[in-house]
Amino acid sequence: MTNFMKLAAAAMLFIAAQNANAISLRFKFKTFSSGPDIYACNAGLRHQASQHKVCYFEDTTTACTPQECNGTTCNTRCVCTNDNGGEYLMDYMKGSYSTWNQSTVAWNQTWTSTTAQAGQGTYNTLVPHADAFKNRIKELSFNLGSELYGAEYFVDVCYRGPQIEYFEDGVTANWGLQAQATATDFIANAVNGGDNTQDGLTMNPTGIKYTTLAGLKVQAITVCDLQGMGQIQKSRNNSGSYNTLDNEATFSNWNSPLQASGDFYTKSNQVQINSVANLINATIDSSTKAPRFCRIRYIFSETDGAAGSQVLNKNLRKWQRHGAELCTYTKIEESL
């Protein structure tokens, strides 16, 4: 064998030895991704019936007693409200909303505009209470024309938590909730720009503050459906499906949601809106029970003319068009 052939044979043996020692690996794994979602999802309005007339001498806050003019007695310029309980007929809300499409698992891109008259003993709502998570509100206004203040209205904010199985996998997370509300009265002499808009109209309500005249107060109430509690304990529903709205974040009484319900429940005191009303700053959970769904309700009450308040302290609703821009701030986060 020639030297060349010997070298070639040695090279082939070396290559074969290298191939015999080769090793490789293909490894597949999965990534699951899901973030939270939050949106205004419902609104409601009611006006309880007043039990008494309110009578003032015109342009004053001095009470008067009306009498029929019989030729000898006439209490002139005595202005009175009615007492037939029809206040709710003069108040309504107007809004636009889009609906959730479960077949495409996405929001419909068309918006439905609607109006709804106030309820009396119970709230009339923009969408049914049970369907709130299926709707998101784009625009909303409350239009109040009753003789007396005394309307009550609310906005619901809906939260959907990440579809990640924190409880099932034993992962701890610290969830916190913050709820605030502010009110900015329309008191400018011309059209306001920015967020404090008067819908492009010059109302000119100089010196007339809606929040003061109405005695406007606000309260926040929250209910959450948590992983690891209740009937639905996982992020997915009990049929093993994700991307559904099955949840237990409901109030035990929709018209008086001051009773505890759901897996997590908290409420604030009713407070006057001056600047920023800090309503709730609470820990939802600091273990594996992450929120699946939450509903945060902000209830605004015109306490000046509320049913049962002192008759002589009630303000007649001013004829001059006035109002306020109301803003809610809701934050649900994994806090350190």
Side-chain angles (χ1 to χ4, degrees), residues 154-175:
F154 73 79
V155 172
D156 278 352
V157 173
C158 285
Y159 168 85
R160 306 180 190 178
Q163 297 184 86
I164 302 298
E165 301 293 356
Y166 296 99
F167 171 73
E168 185 177 40
D169 295 332
V171 177
T172 298
N174 301 300
W175 296 91

Side-chain angles (χ1 to χ4, degrees), residues 58-117:
E58 187 178 357
D59 295 329
T60 74
T61 55
T62 303
C64 56
T65 302
Q67 296 173 335
E68 293 184 4
C69 291
N70 56 17
T72 58
T73 304
C74 186
N75 217 346
T76 185
R77 301 185 70 192
C78 185
V79 180
C80 295
T81 65
N82 211 326
D83 59 355
N84 61 3
E87 291 91 345
Y88 72 101
L89 297 172
M90 305 306 298
D91 300 340
Y92 69 93
M93 57 185 163
K94 179 174 67 174
S96 61
Y97 62 93
S98 65
T99 56
W100 177 254
N101 190 326
Q102 189 58 50
S103 61
T104 61
V105 196
W107 289 107
N108 291 318
Q109 295 305 304
T110 57
W111 297 90
T112 300
S113 297
T114 187
T115 59
Q117 197 171 50

Side-chain angles (χ1 to χ4, degrees), residues 39 41-42 125-135 154 156 158 245-251 254 293 295 297:
Y39 49 96
C41 57
N42 204 3
T125 56
L126 203 66
V127 300
H129 286 291
D131 293 339
F133 281 98
K134 302 176 184 177
N135 297 275
F154 73 79
D156 278 352
C158 285
L245 301 183
D246 298 340
N247 72 88
E248 300 173 282
T250 60
F251 295 116
W254 291 112
F293 292 84
R295 189 188 304 234
R297 175 165 293 186

Side-chain angles (χ1 to χ4, degrees), residues 182-229:
T182 60
T184 305
D185 285 283
F186 297 138
I187 55 176
N189 290 320
V191 178
N192 288 342
D195 288 337
N196 188 12
T197 175
Q198 302 173 15
D199 290 336
L201 303 176
T202 301
M203 299 195 312
N204 199 30
T206 304
I208 298 176
K209 296 189 67 173
Y210 164 73
T211 56
T212 300
L213 290 169
L216 193 68
K217 294 185 178 182
V218 63
Q219 181 180 30
I221 305 172
T222 298
V223 62
C224 291
D225 174 12
L226 305 183
Q227 293 184 24
M229 298 184 68

